[in-house]
Amino acid sequence: QVQLVESGGGLVPAGDSLRLSCAASGDTVCISTMGWYRQSPGKERELVARITSAENTYYKNSVKGRFTISRDNAKNTVYLQMNNLKPEDTAVYYCNAEPIRVCQGYVFGDRVVFWGQGSQVTVSS
C-alpha cells in the first residue's frame, strides 16, 4: 500500500526554524490529501496542516503565518516548514496520507489512512 518515512525533527531554541519531510513510497498514485499532525504529552493528537492534491491548504490557527505545508508530487514528498518556533510547538509530529477510495485494484475503507513513524520536535525557551 503506502509507507511514509519522516525526517527533519530536532531540538531547537525558541524562534528557530525546522523543516520536516515525509517521503511516501508504495502505491503513491493512490494518495489524495496529505497532512501533518502532532501530539504532546497528555494531549490529544491534533491536525496542524493539510494539503490536497490540488494544493489547497488548511492550517491550525495557532500556526498560521509561521508554518507552511507544501508537497512535491514528483518526489512523493510533503514538507512542513516551521518558522518562529515556540515551546508550545513541542510535540511528536506525524505525517499522514489519505487514499483515493478506489485505486490500483484496492478498495479502501472510509477510515483508511496511512501514517509516518513520528518525528520529535522540541523547542526550548
Side-chain angles (χ1 to χ4, degrees):
Q1 293 184 329
V2 175
Q3 298 79 45
L4 304 174
V5 179
E6 303 176 28
S7 61
L11 171 63
V12 297
D16 274 23
S17 298
L18 284 173
R19 189 193 194 200
L20 301 180
S21 299
C22 177
S25 60
D27 296 308
T28 57
V29 297
C30 297
I31 295 173
S32 181
T33 298
M34 301 187 75
W36 289 94
Y37 290 71
R38 68 187 182 189
Q39 187 167 24
S40 300
K43 296 183 179 180
E44 298 292 327
R45 185 174 298 188
E46 63 181 4
L47 175 65
V48 178
R50 66 198 303 269
I51 183 167
T52 69
S53 298
E55 302 194 14
N56 301 120
T57 58
Y58 164 86
Y59 296 94
K60 176 180 172 63
N61 285 338
S62 63
V63 308
K64 288 180 179 177
R66 299 189 297 120
F67 291 10
T68 302
I69 188 171
S70 61
R71 65 192 293 173
D72 185 336
N73 291 324
K75 296 182 178 180
N76 299 311
T77 300
V78 63
Y79 306 93
L80 186 67
Q81 178 68 43
M82 303 183 291
N83 296 329
N84 191 25
L85 283 161
K86 303 176 180 180
E88 306 91 88
D89 297 317
T90 296
V92 177
Y93 284 70
Y94 300 88
C95 69
N96 83 329
E98 300 173 5
I100 302 167
R101 186 173 183 180
V102 180
C103 179
Q104 296 291 103
Y106 296 103
V107 179
F108 295 103
D110 291 342
R111 298 296 180 182
V112 171
V113 64
F114 306 104
W115 291 97
Q117 80 278 12
S119 183
Q120 178 69 50
V121 172
T122 303
V123 184
S124 60
S125 58

